[in-house]
Structures are given as C-alpha cells and as structure tokens.
Amino acid sequence: MIDMENHENENRIPNHVIDNLARCLLPKIQTYFETENGQLAFHAWAEDKKNTQTQV
C-alpha cells in the first residue's frame, strides 16, 4: 500500500484535486461493488490474485 502522506506526487496534481476526485468516485465505486456484477468482478479479481500469489 502506498503511504499517500509521504508519497511524492509524481504527476504534480494538487492533493486537493485528488481528494475531490476520490470523494466523487468512492460512492460510485461502493455502489458498483454492492451489485451482483460488482460482487462477481471482485470475487474473480480476488481468485486471480490468490492464484497469482501461489504461482510465485
């Protein structure tokens, strides 16, 4: 996980812009993952990640 407080903003996007974008997107992302399609996508991602980690 990236520590956003100490991570240099390589793209030079002001933190307030990133914060505002996150505030706009987070509710939409949460709503999506509450749907059946979102749950299926999450479980597929988690399974893929688990399989990738066991192959290393």
Side-chain angles (χ1 to χ4, degrees):
M1 178 178 284
I2 297 173
D3 181 4
M4 293 305 290
E5 295 295 321
N6 295 323
H7 185 70
E8 184 177 333
N9 187 348
E10 296 166 358
N11 295 322
R12 306 291 182 226
I13 300 171
N15 283 339
H16 72 276
V17 173
I18 294 171
D19 290 344
N20 287 336
L21 182 60
R23 283 190 185 95
C24 291
L25 291 177
L26 181 61
K28 301 286 187 190
I29 294 168
Q30 289 172 321
T31 299
Y32 170 72
F33 281 107
E34 291 171 354
T35 68
E36 184 177 349
N37 285 343
Q39 289 290 312
L40 290 172
F42 173 76
H43 290 296
W45 169 83
E47 186 68 25
D48 185 53
K49 182 174 177 158
K50 184 176 89 173
N51 291 337
T52 301
Q53 288 177 343
T54 58
Q55 292 176 358
V56 175

